């Protein structure tokens, strides 16, 4: 039903003159108790992407922000030159990407998970057009409820699904040391 709804949204947009070629919806999920993070995305053609994420990234723990960012990377990685509208429920990763674009390279090094943000930006640049559509979460919105269910289900998976990575145009180094070390 969610897939048919997404196809219907795409058709409606096209009938109104918007030349979208693809539609997607994504969501992330996080369990703070055991630091488990998963993400899921659904494309209008029925493709389901995502899965459980590695729970021990370099330099720290994960949270829901990582899941909310990673589902976009999954979708953008499989598309190239698309005119995409993307339904999502978390504005902070999109806003962080916009802020990241305006920062200097030295400021980017202070961002948490700047490798994930820079990969997202590189993949966004591969698209012909990209429109993000916000939908309020946990209020019965069919598209969000479907990917939320998929993401929560992926948290129980044994297998880890790697996040696609694109070499960014910049490299930030972050050193993890005690304050007295140089």
């Amino acid at each position: 039903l969610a897939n048919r709804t997404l196809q219907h949204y795409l058709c409606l947009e096209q009938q109104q003159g918007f030349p979208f070629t693809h539609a997607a919806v994504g969501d992330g999920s996080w369990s703070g108790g055991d630091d488990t993070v998963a993400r899921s995305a659904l494309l209008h053609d029925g493709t389901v992407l995502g899965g459980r994420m590695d729970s021990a990234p370099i330099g720290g723990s994960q949270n829901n922000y990582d899941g909310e960012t990673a589902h976009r990377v999954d979708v953008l990685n499989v598309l190239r030159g698309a005119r995409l509208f993307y339904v999502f429920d978390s504005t902070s990763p999109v806003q962080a990407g916009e802020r990241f674009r305006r920062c200097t390279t030295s400021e980017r090094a202070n961002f948490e998970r700047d490798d994930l943000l820079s990969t997202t930006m590189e993949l966004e640049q591969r698209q012909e057009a990209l429109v993000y559509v916000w939908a309020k979460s946990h209020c019965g919105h069919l598209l969000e409820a479907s990917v939320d269910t998929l993401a929560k289900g992926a948290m129980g998976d044994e297998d880890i699904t790697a996040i696609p990575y694109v070499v960014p145009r910049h490299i930030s180094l972050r050193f993890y040391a005690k304050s007295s070390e140089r």
Side-chain angles (χ1 to χ4, degrees):
L1 185 57
N3 181 250
R4 286 197 314 257
T5 302
L6 199 54
Q7 289 172 346
H8 181 70
Y9 282 173
L10 181 60
C11 288
L12 284 175
E13 293 291 326
Q14 291 169 341
Q15 288 172 357
Q16 294 178 42
F18 298 104
F20 290 113
T21 58
H22 293 80
V25 59
D27 198 14
S29 192
W30 172 61
S31 171
D34 59 1
D35 200 29
T36 303
V37 180
R39 80 281 189 192
S40 181
L42 174 66
L43 292 171
H44 74 281
D45 65 2
T47 303
V48 176
L49 303 168
R52 185 174 172 187
M53 297 168 55
D54 188 1
S55 61
I58 297 171
S61 63
Q62 292 188 112
N63 54 42
N64 193 49
Y65 178 82
D66 297 314
E68 295 291 352
T69 302
H71 65 75
R72 289 179 20 224
V73 173
D74 289 332
V75 169
L76 296 170
N77 187 55
V78 298
L79 301 176
R80 189 175 202 105
R83 294 182 197 137
L84 171 68
F85 81 87
Y86 199 107
V87 181
F88 68 104
D89 70 347
S90 178
T91 58
S92 58
V94 175
Q95 290 172 338
E98 290 305 310
R99 184 167 174 263
F100 193 77
R101 280 184 174 85
R102 293 187 299 271
C103 288
T104 63
T105 302
S106 60
E107 289 173 321
R108 289 177 180 182
N110 294 323
F111 272 74
E112 187 175 317
R113 296 294 308 262
D114 75 331
D115 57 334
L116 191 55
L117 276 172
S118 60
T119 294
T120 305
M121 289 178 10
E122 290 293 324
L123 293 172
E124 286 175 337
Q125 294 300 315
R126 293 181 181 179
Q127 310 311 318
E128 187 175 324
L130 178 58
V131 174
Y132 288 113
V133 179
W134 178 75
K136 189 172 183 175
S137 62
H138 307 291
C139 66
H141 190 273
L142 176 65
L143 295 177
E144 280 300 317
S146 65
V147 289
D148 184 53
T149 300
L150 290 169
K152 284 185 182 356
M155 290 178 59
D157 291 348
E158 296 278 329
D159 296 329
I160 302 297
T161 305
I163 302 168
Y165 178 75
V166 175
V167 178
R169 295 180 203 177
H170 83 281
I171 300 294
S172 297
L173 297 177
R174 181 177 286 174
F175 299 98
Y176 298 93
K178 293 181 181 176
S179 60
S180 62
E181 296 177 3
R182 299 238 174 214

